[in-house]
Amino acid sequence: MIKYLMYQKNPASHYVYIDMFVDAITQDTIQLQLPVWRPGRYELGNFAKNIKRVDVFNNKNEVLAYHKLNKDLWEIDTKGQSSIKITYSYY
């Protein structure tokens, strides 16, 4: 299951902060990917270019490692955790 919490710290900055909670993880790594298609259009978009910071935490708030595999795909080393939190800011 995936849950999202979205908020703004300063609306004038145009950043949206997103906390993504992923539960029921059973693998040692998971991959997260953004869509590349624009809704309602037949063209590709590079939405990942607007992500400015990504952090991944376990349920003890310890940092987990991740790697960006390409422009819109990340792989997270869950280290056996069944739930994680991914935080990122989107412009």
Side-chain angles (χ1 to χ4, degrees), residues 57-89:
F57 303 95
N58 65 14
N59 59 1
K60 295 178 184 176
N61 214 28
E62 299 168 332
V63 175
L64 295 176
Y66 71 91
H67 303 287
K68 191 170 183 180
L69 301 177
N70 62 37
K71 71 177 183 170
D72 56 10
L73 178 65
W74 292 262
E75 185 171 72
I76 299 168
D77 181 3
T78 64
K79 295 192 177 188
Q81 300 294 310
S82 62
S83 63
I84 60 172
K85 177 173 105 172
I86 300 103
T87 63
Y88 57 99
S89 56

Side-chain angles (χ1 to χ4, degrees), residues 15-55:
Y15 280 96
V16 175
Y17 296 88
I18 300 161
D19 294 346
M20 178 179 171
F21 301 90
V22 182
D23 293 326
I25 300 170
T26 58
Q27 301 101 341
D28 291 333
T29 61
I30 61 169
Q31 293 185 346
L32 299 174
Q33 187 166 22
L34 287 178
V36 294
W37 289 100
R38 293 185 61 147
R41 298 184 180 187
Y42 292 104
E43 67 181 1
L44 296 175
N46 183 9
F47 303 111
K49 72 177 181 190
N50 297 324
I51 292 180
K52 300 300 176 195
R53 180 180 176 132
V54 176
D55 292 302

